[in-house]
Amino acid sequence: MDHNPILVIGGGPAGLEAARGAAELGYKTLLVEKAGVLGGTPIQADYAALTPDMENTEVAMKRMTDAVEDDPLVDIRMETVVTGASGEVPDLTVTLNGPSGEEQVQVGSVIVATGFQHFDPGRETQMYGYYEYDDVITLVDTERMLKAGNFVRPSTGETPKRVCFIQCVGSRDRQIGNQWCSKVCCGIACKEAIEIRHMVPDCQVFVFYIDMRMYGFWEDEIYWKAQEESKVSFIRGIVTEITKRGDTVVVKGEDTTKGRPEEVAMDVVILSVGKEPSAGTVQMAEIFGLPLESHGFIETTGGALNTVATSVPGVFAVGASVGPADLEDSVSSAGAAAMKAAGFLRKHALANA
Amino acid sequence: MDHNPILVIGGGPAGLEAARGAAELGYKTLLVEKAGVLGGTPIQADYAALTPDMENTEVAMKRMTDAVEDDPLVDIRMETVVTGASGEVPDLTVTLNGPSGEEQVQVGSVIVATGFQHFDPGRETQMYGYYEYDDVITLVDTERMLKAGNFVRPSTGETPKRVCFIQCVGSRDRQIGNQWCSKVCCGIACKEAIEIRHMVPDCQVFVFYIDMRMYGFWEDEIYWKAQEESKVSFIRGIVTEITKRGDTVVVKGEDTTKGRPEEVAMDVVILSVGKEPSAGTVQMAEIFGLPLESHGFIETTGGALNTVATSVPGVFAVGASVGPADLEDSVSSAGAAAMKAAGFLRKHALANA
């Protein structure tokens, strides 16, 4: 079948699966990635291991990148961004800007897989002290240290004795305008807590949370293991302030189970930062004329029963470009979009045959 | 392309999407449903509205059933079960047992979409009084009343003044052997709480919970609305016993926020029952030689990055047959499996061309 390629924008887990899937169905695919490396946030942000299986990120993502790199139906453009679009699918003209300059290509369908960005804990509020105190870090900073095999107090390079996670930083928070739950931070915090306890067995680890959202099998596969095997302490509480006393970080708040104020000293405080739509997601929404939903992600129009359709027929959005997503959400929705993009082109080919 | 049809087992949301998707790609599909009606649990259990959009279930599911019924590539067999399989995909011989007796068919690939069953709150423990007290009902019983437009005290037929939901019945519970979180019961309880408050404005509604797992947009789209607009009261607590005093149901437990025992009288108690693998899921696992994972659902082998692959190439499992799933999980994984089943057949056709 002769057709314009399916354009997949973004080379993270969702984009890689969408491109591979469309090619598996025999459809030409054009995969565009703005960075110099495939793998998306798990690779670019140096994730140590993936949730929930704790598989090494490099190993897991290499399987996905190999699959598209080995497939002659996938044309990969690195360090390339989409800067414009005109016309309509299945004969949409898209402008790409890459290492060899600007180029116009015809595409038959579009799958937006431009993902999320992590909440900046210094934005809107200084209450977390992220930019003031070296020993206040994020989930992402922690992944980097875990991947390097060296979890230390950033201020001293010493092995920490007491570490805590603070959940819902930049999530479930009307003050800063992010009213949604970012879905994966509870699981990632549990995973990192277990990894820290393995790497630094003498270190006590605490998690301050509102609700532990360990849905499905994460409940016993990560959450119970964190408590029972790794002896991580989970404390239901609200953190109101982070300050410094001497060389320790002091976390002030309320233990909402005991119903009393708490003040605890920590060597390292890890902020469980949430998910926001990435700049790329917002840009692609503008270029392809896709409305954003109330939280600022790309709006899907199929309700619960069609997770990837946008208001533009033939243009699909997957993974965290449409809202907080775990890896399963990303690859499942990407697979569904590969099917729908291929189905869209097939329908047009049949209509013109 | 000449090929044996893709066998889709189960006509719920996941199976309908898998069958429609495979047909959209031009592949013959054989959809087998053991009941006399398509739509799966949402239809058979008389769900009123779907989470999170509160779309009328009949309307939403009719879109899905129309799509397969109108597609000449989908061969639908109602009141039919799979009773055996021999050989290997893409030339697997499957035995079907339907209204016209037993039949052998050749299938090219298999998608298992046999879903879940609701936890029976009288199993293992009598602590909830489900079979003793008429006014102790489940989420499912509540859907039926909401769908009928008549939410009443079952024992008297009167309008209730005080109703509570008890979360995690048959979930997160080592005693009864169900260690997982069923993922959707928090969302469904919030949805039903809002519906009850609309239908019976004078009725107070309480939700007793361990953690409210309102991930993603459910946070502000359902949970905040339940609190702020519908004035539902959420109480973090453990329920230890349900008894009766006079004509009210008494819920005993501990409010873990206030740290004190609580005893409250209710007109109706709604048990938020969790998800277990359905009998059909266990049967299909046996027939197709698919190992079960530790919780008793069908094991997928791709980790977080391939949600539908089983240990048998060409046989896929989707939706709640592989674990607790919301509607988005079900249709996304079904779409991904449609792509993979079609890709599997295409690969074999190319190898033999």
Side-chain angles (χ1 to χ4, degrees):
Chain A
M1 191 180 96
D2 191 40
H3 66 94
N4 290 322
I6 295 169
L7 173 65
V8 177
I9 308 166
L16 290 169
E17 176 66 3
R20 194 204 57 73
E24 187 172 320
L25 293 170
Y27 288 76
K28 285 179 290 180
T29 304
L30 179 61
L31 174 62
V32 169
E33 166 58 51
K34 75 174 171 192
V37 61
L38 290 175
T41 304
I43 292 297
Q44 289 170 43
D46 286 321
Y47 287 3
L50 298 181
T51 314
D53 296 337
M54 298 210 178
E55 185 178 6
N56 177 287
T57 303
E58 296 278 350
V59 172
M61 294 312 301
K62 186 165 189 305
R63 275 202 310 277
M64 298 197 86
T65 53
D66 281 355
V68 297
E69 285 172 346
D70 294 348
D71 197 317
L73 286 174
V74 184
D75 178 6
I76 305 175
R77 307 291 176 90
M78 300 303 298
E79 295 176 48
T80 298
V81 291
V82 175
T83 56
S86 65
E88 270 186 29
V89 286
D91 294 299
L92 183 74
T93 303
V94 166
T95 307
L96 304 181
N97 205 316
S100 48
E102 205 167 273
E103 180 190 3
Q104 311 260 315
V105 293
Q106 296 291 111
V107 303
S109 178
V110 178
I111 300 175
V112 179
T114 40
F116 72 100
Q117 64 188 25
H118 293 100
F119 174 72
D120 175 352
R123 202 195 79 193
E124 309 286 340
T125 168
Q126 289 301 314
M127 69 173 273
Y128 298 111
Y130 181 66
Y131 291 109
E132 293 166 79
Y133 310 129
D134 290 343
D135 296 333
V136 177
I137 63 178
T138 67
L139 283 184
V140 193
D141 301 326
T142 306
E143 287 287 343
R144 286 212 173 86
M145 285 201 278
L146 292 169
K147 188 171 183 179
N150 190 32
F151 184 76
V152 295
R153 288 190 70 181
S155 65
T156 63
E158 289 166 6
T159 301
K161 293 269 185 226
R162 288 165 62 86
V163 169
C164 76
F165 290 81
I166 297 174
Q167 297 306 107
C168 301
V169 173
S171 302
R172 306 180 65 178
D173 189 337
R174 185 171 277 162
Q175 290 296 109
I176 59 139
N178 293 3
Q179 302 195 169
W180 59 91
C181 158
S182 294
K183 195 167 183 179
V184 301
C185 336
C186 284
I188 293 170
C190 280
K191 177 192 78 84
E192 292 187 359
I194 292 170
E195 290 172 294
I196 291 170
R197 290 279 301 144
H198 282 170
M199 199 171 284
V200 192
D202 288 339
C203 182
Q204 287 183 284
V205 180
F206 305 84
V207 178
F208 294 100
Y209 72 96
I210 311 177
D211 296 279
M212 282 306 293
R213 294 191 164 164
M214 304 299 287
Y215 49 79
F217 298 156
W218 290 14
E219 173 74 11
D220 61 334
E221 289 181 351
I222 322 182
Y223 186 36
W224 293 20
K225 281 187 183 161
Q227 293 171 76
E228 297 183 340
E229 294 175 12
S230 296
K231 311 296 178 196
V232 176
S233 301
F234 289 84
I235 297 164
R236 191 171 195 255
I238 308 291
V239 171
T240 51
E241 195 184 0
I242 293 176
T243 58
K244 199 142 186 206
R245 186 178 306 140
D247 65 347
T248 61
V249 186
V250 177
V251 178
K252 293 183 184 179
E254 187 186 333
D255 181 322
T256 53
T257 301
K258 292 182 182 160
R260 67 181 189 206
E262 284 270 10
E263 194 179 294
V264 289
M266 293 288 158
D267 296 331
V268 179
V269 171
I270 300 168
L271 306 176
S272 291
V273 287
K275 291 189 167 195
E276 296 184 330
S278 69
T281 290
V282 176
Q283 284 156 11
M284 292 311 107
E286 198 169 317
I287 286 172
F288 295 103
L290 310 175
L292 302 178
E293 50 76 58
S294 67
H295 309 90
F297 293 85
I298 293 173
E299 184 169 59
T300 52
T301 56
L305 300 177
N306 183 346
T307 53
V308 300
T310 71
S311 57
V312 180
V315 177
F316 306 94
V318 298
S321 73
V322 302
D326 59 28
L327 285 167
E328 287 90 336
D329 298 336
S330 292
V331 298
S332 284
S333 64
M339 176 269 284
K340 284 176 199 246
F344 175 83
L345 290 179
R346 180 174 171 271
K347 191 181 71 181
H348 274 274
L350 289 176
N352 294 330
Chain B
M1 192 179 93
D2 190 39
H3 68 93
N4 290 323
I6 295 170
L7 173 65
V8 177
I9 307 166
L16 290 169
E17 176 65 5
R20 195 204 56 73
E24 188 173 321
L25 293 169
Y27 287 77
K28 285 179 292 181
T29 304
L30 178 62
L31 174 62
V32 169
E33 167 58 50
K34 73 175 171 191
V37 60
L38 290 175
T41 303
I43 291 299
Q44 289 171 42
D46 287 319
Y47 287 2
L50 298 182
T51 315
D53 294 338
M54 297 207 179
E55 185 177 6
N56 177 287
T57 303
E58 296 279 350
V59 173
M61 293 312 301
K62 187 165 188 307
R63 276 202 310 276
M64 296 197 87
T65 54
D66 281 355
V68 297
E69 285 171 347
D70 295 348
D71 197 318
L73 285 174
V74 184
D75 178 6
I76 304 175
R77 307 290 176 92
M78 299 304 297
E79 296 177 48
T80 298
V81 291
V82 176
T83 56
S86 65
E88 269 185 31
V89 286
D91 294 299
L92 183 73
T93 304
V94 166
T95 306
L96 304 181
N97 205 317
S100 49
E102 206 168 91
E103 181 190 2
Q104 310 260 316
V105 294
Q106 297 290 113
V107 303
S109 177
V110 179
I111 299 175
V112 180
T114 40
F116 72 99
Q117 64 188 26
H118 293 99
F119 173 71
D120 175 352
R123 203 195 78 193
E124 309 287 339
T125 170
Q126 289 301 317
M127 68 174 274
Y128 298 111
Y130 181 66
Y131 291 108
E132 293 166 79
Y133 310 129
D134 290 344
D135 296 334
V136 178
I137 62 176
T138 67
L139 283 184
V140 192
D141 302 325
T142 307
E143 288 288 343
R144 286 210 173 88
M145 284 202 278
L146 292 169
K147 189 170 182 178
N150 189 32
F151 184 75
V152 296
R153 287 191 71 180
S155 65
T156 63
E158 289 167 4
T159 300
K161 293 270 185 224
R162 288 165 63 85
V163 169
C164 76
F165 290 80
I166 298 175
Q167 298 305 108
C168 301
V169 173
S171 302
R172 304 181 67 178
D173 189 336
R174 186 171 277 163
Q175 290 296 109
I176 58 138
N178 293 3
Q179 303 196 168
W180 59 91
C181 159
S182 294
K183 195 167 182 178
V184 302
C185 336
C186 285
I188 293 171
C190 279
K191 178 191 78 84
E192 292 186 359
I194 292 169
E195 290 172 294
I196 291 170
R197 290 278 301 144
H198 282 168
M199 199 171 285
V200 193
D202 288 341
C203 182
Q204 285 183 285
V205 179
F206 304 84
V207 179
F208 294 100
Y209 72 95
I210 311 176
D211 297 278
M212 282 306 293
R213 293 192 165 164
M214 304 299 287
Y215 49 80
F217 298 155
W218 290 13
E219 172 73 11
D220 61 335
E221 289 182 350
I222 321 181
Y223 187 37
W224 292 22
K225 280 187 184 160
Q227 294 171 76
E228 297 183 341
E229 294 174 12
S230 296
K231 311 295 178 197
V232 176
S233 300
F234 290 84
I235 298 164
R236 191 172 195 255
I238 307 290
V239 171
T240 52
E241 195 184 358
I242 293 176
T243 58
K244 199 143 185 206
R245 186 180 305 139
D247 65 346
T248 61
V249 185
V250 177
V251 178
K252 293 183 184 178
E254 187 186 332
D255 181 322
T256 53
T257 301
K258 292 181 182 161
R260 69 181 189 204
E262 284 270 10
E263 194 180 294
V264 289
M266 293 288 156
D267 296 331
V268 179
V269 172
I270 300 168
L271 306 176
S272 292
V273 288
K275 290 189 167 194
E276 295 183 331
S278 70
T281 290
V282 176
Q283 284 155 10
M284 293 310 109
E286 197 169 317
I287 286 172
F288 295 103
L290 311 175
L292 302 178
E293 51 77 59
S294 68
H295 309 91
F297 293 85
I298 293 174
E299 184 170 59
T300 52
T301 56
L305 299 177
N306 183 347
T307 52
V308 300
T310 71
S311 58
V312 180
V315 178
F316 306 94
V318 299
S321 73
V322 302
D326 58 28
L327 285 167
E328 288 89 335
D329 297 336
S330 291
V331 298
S332 284
S333 64
M339 176 270 283
K340 284 177 200 246
F344 175 82
L345 290 179
R346 182 176 170 269
K347 192 181 69 180
H348 274 274
L350 289 176
N352 294 330

